[in-house]
Amino acid sequence: IKELVTAVNRIRRENPALQELDNLRFYDADDDNVLFYGKMTPDGRNIILIAVNLDPFEPHESLLEFPLAEMGIGAEDTFEVEELLSGARHLWRGALQRVRLEPEAPAAIFRIHRWTKVDYESPCF
């Protein structure tokens, strides 16, 4: 657990949204064993969404509903998701995304990157 606490503390220090006190919001997950919530800075530059498996014994898969309008992302726009505990990165489109949370890895902390026109025109894509 020491490594997890160290990682969570690092993530908290690196993300201004997690340092605010009045910006906590809860979002829809279709499994009652999964809690989905998030925090954003007022300017929307730092968006953190967290999914937690509340069942310590069984894995749970859940369809999460990302708050695209709050995030400043259109329904058809692509956005980048960085899972901060594992370092995995994904390109997603649409509000509904399925995640699986295991007892050994009971949480996912997502940092959202909104793409701009400049990102689409970058030569690496």
Side-chain angles (χ1 to χ4, degrees), residues 11-114:
I11 291 165
R12 186 176 41 84
R13 281 191 308 273
E14 292 173 353
N15 290 281
L18 297 176
Q19 299 165 21
E20 301 282 328
L21 298 177
D22 59 352
N23 61 343
L24 179 65
R25 304 287 181 269
F26 291 89
Y27 303 107
D28 290 335
D30 72 348
D31 183 324
D32 290 340
N33 290 293
V34 175
L35 182 64
F36 186 44
Y37 61 97
K39 296 182 110 186
M40 299 178 206
T41 55
D43 63 6
R45 293 180 138 213
N46 188 233
I47 302 170
I48 304 294
L49 298 168
I50 302 164
V52 179
N53 180 356
L54 301 175
D55 182 345
F57 304 108
E58 298 293 329
H60 286 272
E61 239 180 65
S62 183
L63 196 60
L64 307 177
E65 187 169 353
F66 282 69
L68 296 184
E70 288 180 35
M71 296 176 355
I73 297 173
E76 298 300 317
D77 292 345
T78 299
F79 58 100
E80 181 180 356
V81 177
E82 178 184 5
E83 202 292 302
L84 297 175
L85 292 173
S86 70
R89 291 178 178 258
H90 308 280
L91 295 178
W92 286 348
R93 182 177 299 164
L96 299 176
Q97 301 295 328
R98 183 161 301 281
V99 298
R100 181 177 174 87
L101 300 169
E102 304 282 341
E104 305 80 36
I109 303 174
F110 303 110
R111 180 167 44 206
I112 308 302
H113 175 68
R114 294 178 302 198

